[in-house]
Structures are given as C-alpha cells and as structure tokens.
Amino acid sequence: MHQKERIDEILKILRENNYVDVKYLCDEIGYSKATINRDLNYMVQQKMIVRSHGGVELTDNNDIVPLRFRYHKMKNEKKRIGKAAAELVKDGDTIFVDLSSTTEYMATYLVDKKDITVITSNIAIVAYLSEFSNIRTICMGGEIIESPSMLGGDLCVKNLMEYKADKFFFASIGINDNGEIIGGEVYNLLLNVMRRNSDMTVYLVDHEKVNLPGKNVLMTANDVNAIITDHKFTDEFKKKYGHVEFIEV
C-alpha cells in the first residue's frame, strides 16, 4: 500500500471514529507504528489532522469522540479535574453525575465520602461505586445511547425528573469564546434536567476543549456555578461570568 492509500485509509477511519490512537490505526491498516507515525507526521504538516497524547483527530472535528478513545484522551488532566470535582462533594450530599469519561475519573475519588448518593445513567460509574457501602448509587435506566455504558432516552429523562440533587457534575465536547457549552444533541434534555434539578452545577473541561466551535449548544456559562479546568481563562472571560467560580488545577 502506497502512502497516499494509507492516508486515505487513515482519513476514512477518522471520519468514522472522530478520534483514534496510533495502536488502533496500526491494527486496522496493518502497518508498523514507525510507518503510521511517518504518515501522521506528514498529515500534521499538511494540516489534515491534529495529534495529542498518542491520539489523532481531524482538524475540523467537532463531533463526539467514541467512548473507547475518550478514556485515554487527556487522561492526566481529567484525573486532576476529577479529583478537584470530588473535593466539592461533602459528606451527606446527593449528586448528579453525567455520562462523560471525565466524571468516570471523578468517581474514583468519591470512595472515601460518607453517606453520599450518586445518581447517574452511566452504568460503569454505578457498577464501580455500588461496591462501596458508604455510597448509595441510583441508576436512571433507559436505552443505550453510547456503547457500552451510557444510558439515555425518554425513560431515563422521566426517571431523572423524580430526583433532586445538591450538585451536578458534567463535561462536554467543549466551550467556545462566547461561553457556549457544546455537546451532543442526544444529551440536551438529559443534562438540562439534571441542571434544573440541582442546587449547584459544576462544569469540568480540560484545555483541549476550550475555544472550540460547535453546532449544538447544551447551555452557557451563565447556567453553571463553577468551572473546573486546567485552562487559564482570560480575565475578560472571568469578568464576563463573574458569578462563576473558576477552579484551576
């Protein structure tokens, strides 16, 4: 296979998956890591793709990255953000947790809390936290909207409406210069019900998701109480959203 053919195949894979790691490309195309890396370096020079932390995505990609790759993308940053988010949870709290990979990292820092209730439609979080007797876990049910563990749909939203929470933690595709929080359309109603039924809304976002364009606006910075991030937002942005607590990690 010539380089042009490999590049065409890489582009096809990226259009199907939005974001992949190098190992996945090697396995799918059947070439060595050295060869694929040479192809990727050329594609970066041509501004066809963006590389970060072992992964690859199209330069114009604003879609949801498949879950199997999101776990590894910005992993260290997500851990720091998740730890800071967990520190906002007090003993006795009831919290909503969304379906993102970032909040899955957050869940690992909740295990020492006392008498908290975690309400989510993320099966992976439910399965993990249910092993700890000090944490009550409630799964919203519904249909699989993102394999293998993300539940949503009308039944999930209907169940969610029956609950109230002290705090709501969520992540998304990103946030743009106008303070618009961008996400997948399938999550609109689900996340906004969580927001409306919570006393405090906390947005988790790493620096790679800041200043991204996007079509579907979930909510805006006006709708959140705190933003936990490793990004240095400008003073102008912070002033514009003066009611928001910016927690930098």
Side-chain angles (χ1 to χ4, degrees):
M1 186 183 293
H2 296 297
Q3 184 184 52
K4 183 182 183 303
E5 294 174 303
R6 292 195 303 271
I7 289 174
D8 287 343
E9 188 64 23
I10 290 170
L11 290 172
K12 178 183 176 183
I13 291 170
L14 286 173
R15 291 188 188 104
E16 292 173 349
N17 295 279
N18 303 323
Y19 177 93
V20 296
D21 56 30
V22 175
K23 182 180 184 304
Y24 184 85
L25 289 174
C26 294
D27 292 342
E28 288 294 304
I29 300 174
Y31 276 79
S32 69
K33 185 176 180 180
T35 298
I36 295 300
N37 273 321
R38 282 196 297 271
D39 294 338
L40 295 177
N41 290 337
Y42 172 80
M43 294 171 75
V44 168
Q45 292 173 1
Q46 299 301 312
K47 302 187 184 304
M48 301 165 69
I49 62 168
V50 176
R51 300 189 68 175
S52 61
H53 297 272
V56 185
E57 62 187 316
L58 295 172
T59 54
D60 61 351
N61 171 46
N62 295 312
D63 296 322
I64 297 177
V65 175
L67 185 61
R68 65 184 181 276
F69 297 118
R70 293 209 304 273
Y71 286 125
H72 304 290
K73 193 176 184 185
M74 306 298 288
K75 182 176 180 179
N76 292 331
E77 291 82 355
K78 288 177 180 178
K79 284 184 176 180
R80 295 202 307 273
I81 291 168
K83 184 175 186 293
E87 289 172 355
L88 292 181
V89 180
K90 307 302 181 184
D91 292 344
D93 271 354
T94 294
I95 64 172
F96 288 135
V97 177
D98 82 336
L99 301 86
S100 66
S101 59
T102 305
T103 51
E104 285 197 28
Y105 285 112
M106 173 191 173
T108 63
Y109 297 102
L110 294 174
V111 297
D112 293 326
K113 305 294 180 179
K114 296 179 181 179
D115 301 319
I116 68 169
T117 298
V118 178
I119 303 170
T120 184
S121 56
N122 184 329
I123 300 172
I125 291 178
V126 172
Y128 174 72
L129 292 180
S130 63
E131 297 183 12
F132 299 89
S133 59
N134 53 316
I135 300 176
R136 182 187 181 211
T137 54
I138 300 175
C139 182
M140 288 297 93
E143 61 183 291
I144 294 287
I145 58 174
E146 189 175 0
S147 180
S149 57
M150 307 308 194
L151 300 173
D154 293 342
L155 177 60
C156 183
V157 172
K158 181 180 178 181
N159 292 339
L160 187 61
M161 289 178 177
E162 302 297 319
Y163 292 90
K164 302 287 185 181
D166 298 293
K167 301 177 180 79
F168 163 44
F169 297 88
F170 79 107
S172 74
I173 290 175
I175 184 170
N176 63 27
D177 291 332
N178 297 320
E180 295 172 329
I181 297 173
I182 309 301
E185 189 172 355
V186 70
Y187 299 108
N188 269 15
L189 185 56
L190 182 68
L191 296 185
N192 275 291
V193 169
M194 287 182 174
R195 176 179 62 83
R196 289 194 297 267
N197 286 14
S198 302
D199 294 331
M200 179 181 185
T201 296
V202 183
Y203 180 48
L204 317 181
V205 59
D206 62 67
H207 69 268
E208 200 173 63
K209 296 178 178 179
V210 176
N211 298 333
L212 288 181
K215 299 177 182 178
N216 186 64
V217 179
L218 293 171
M219 60 189 81
T220 74
N222 283 321
D223 298 312
V224 308
N225 302 101
I227 295 177
I228 304 178
T229 182
D230 66 325
H231 176 74
K232 299 291 184 182
F233 282 95
T234 65
D235 291 338
E236 181 182 2
F237 189 91
K238 292 179 180 179
K239 184 177 180 180
K240 184 177 180 180
Y241 301 101
H243 71 286
V244 177
E245 179 184 4
F246 288 84
I247 302 172
E248 297 177 352
V249 299

